[in-house]
């Protein structure tokens, strides 16, 4: 089953995402929930490897993400919103989905998880932000 990437990215940007290492991954209940977790891990890996190009590639053309500035819709605007973060070689952004929930129909689902943004300061020390 192909997972709609817009849905996965939107879930990543929701305020319900926590920055924590305390919550252990939950066991997905359904096959669709497992597929969501695997797709979200793939998203995390590809963006870690390929930066903003991979981030944008995971959105449908009409895709949107929610940020502190509100909804950002469309590839050029999403790229512009994320470009500086991925261009900064002192910044590391990681994401680990912890659980997924899906409608019984398998047509709608989301993931929740933990993210971490860290920076290397001028001395090379990693600082959590």
């Amino acid at each position: 089953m192909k997972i709609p990437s817009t849905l996965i990215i939107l879930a990543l940007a929701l305020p319900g995402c926590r920055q924590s290492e305390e919550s252990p991954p939950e066991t997905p209940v359904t096959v669709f929930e497992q597929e969501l977790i695997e797709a979200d891990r793939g998203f995390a890996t590809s963006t870690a490897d390929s930066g903003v190009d991979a981030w944008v590639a995971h959105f449908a053309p009409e895709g949107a993400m929610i940020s502190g500035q509100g909804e950002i819709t469309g590839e050029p605007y999403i790229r512009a919103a994320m470009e500086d973060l991925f261009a900064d070689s002192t910044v590391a952004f990681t994401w680990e989905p912890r659980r997924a929930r899906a409608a019984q129909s398998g047509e709608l689902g989301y993931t929740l998880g933990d993210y971490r943004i860290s920076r290397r300061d001028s001395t090379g020390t990693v600082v959590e932000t």
Side-chain angles (χ1 to χ4, degrees):
M1 169 180 286
K2 180 152 173 53
I3 308 299
S5 54
T6 303
L7 180 63
I8 295 165
I9 303 305
L10 180 60
L12 171 67
L14 290 174
C17 300
R18 295 186 298 132
Q19 184 174 359
S20 167
E21 292 186 45
E22 298 172 15
S23 60
E26 290 186 10
T27 302
V29 177
T30 68
V31 170
F32 184 63
E33 289 172 349
Q34 183 60 44
E35 289 174 348
L36 282 172
I37 291 283
E38 290 171 13
D40 211 3
R41 285 187 179 134
F43 160 74
T45 299
S46 67
T47 56
D49 292 344
S50 301
V52 72
D53 290 333
W55 182 277
V56 172
H58 282 83
F59 283 85
E62 70 283 359
M65 74 179 203
I66 299 170
S67 76
Q69 293 78 39
E71 185 177 307
I72 301 169
T73 304
E75 185 270 339
Y77 302 103
I78 292 169
R79 178 179 296 280
M82 299 303 293
E83 222 160 24
D84 289 345
L85 177 70
F86 285 106
D88 187 341
S89 63
T90 67
V91 173
F93 173 72
T94 60
W95 163 254
E96 175 63 26
R98 296 290 177 186
R99 72 179 198 185
R101 293 293 179 260
Q104 287 184 352
S105 67
E107 295 178 23
L108 176 67
Y110 64 91
T111 62
L112 296 173
D114 301 323
Y115 72 93
R116 172 177 284 149
I117 298 175
S118 58
R119 288 186 190 277
R120 280 189 320 277
D121 66 16
S122 59
T123 67
T125 303
V126 175
V127 179
E128 297 293 323
T129 58

